[in-house]
Structures are given as structure tokens and as C-alpha cells.
Amino acid sequence: MKVKLTDTKDKENPETMAFTITMKTTDSAKLPKFPAASDVISTTELQKIIEEATSSYYKSLYGDSLTDTGTDEIQ
């Protein structure tokens, strides 16, 4: 990058500034292909996946205590 600053006595244009930027790509990552319509899931399917994942997570933490209708207490 080259930067040039010039202070002038001109009242209309008291300062000038110029930049020269040269960029070169040396290595770039390829972007993945944009998903096709068949790769996109519906909101209902996404909600079901989230519910199942959340349920599985809490079941791994607390067992069936959260869904059990008995009088067992969470320990």
C-alpha cells in the first residue's frame, strides 16, 4: 500500500490524500455449492429436529424425570 499526503497552502483545498492499494490473492478457499431445493428442509422438519435434539439432551442429563408422571423427585 502506498500513501501520499500533501499539505498545500490553497484555502479551497488545504490537504490532499491519495492511496494506491494493490491486492493479490495467493490462496483462496472454494465456496461450497449453494444448496438445491431438494437439500432445504421445511420449518416443520427443522422444528422436529430441534425438539428431538433438545429432548435427547435433557434426557441424558436428567433421565426420564422430566417426563415421568410419577412422584419421583429430580436428584
Side-chain angles (χ1 to χ4, degrees):
M1 175 162 46
K2 296 178 186 177
V3 179
K4 181 181 177 182
L5 298 172
T6 306
D7 186 8
T8 64
K9 304 292 181 189
D10 185 4
K11 291 181 181 179
E12 297 298 319
N13 189 13
E15 297 175 356
T16 60
M17 185 184 315
F19 289 92
T20 302
I21 300 174
T22 304
M23 297 172 57
K24 179 181 176 184
T25 303
T26 56
D27 189 20
S28 61
K30 291 187 177 186
L31 296 175
K33 182 183 81 169
F34 197 76
S38 61
D39 297 331
V40 179
I41 62 173
S42 69
T43 304
T44 306
E45 291 172 314
L46 178 59
Q47 184 65 35
K48 184 177 180 182
I49 292 169
I50 293 170
E51 287 174 3
E52 289 174 357
T54 305
S55 174
S56 175
Y57 172 72
Y58 282 111
K59 188 173 183 178
S60 71
L61 291 176
Y62 303 110
D64 287 331
S65 297
L66 294 177
T67 57
D68 192 6
T69 56
T71 57
D72 296 340
E73 293 182 20
I74 300 175
Q75 296 181 6

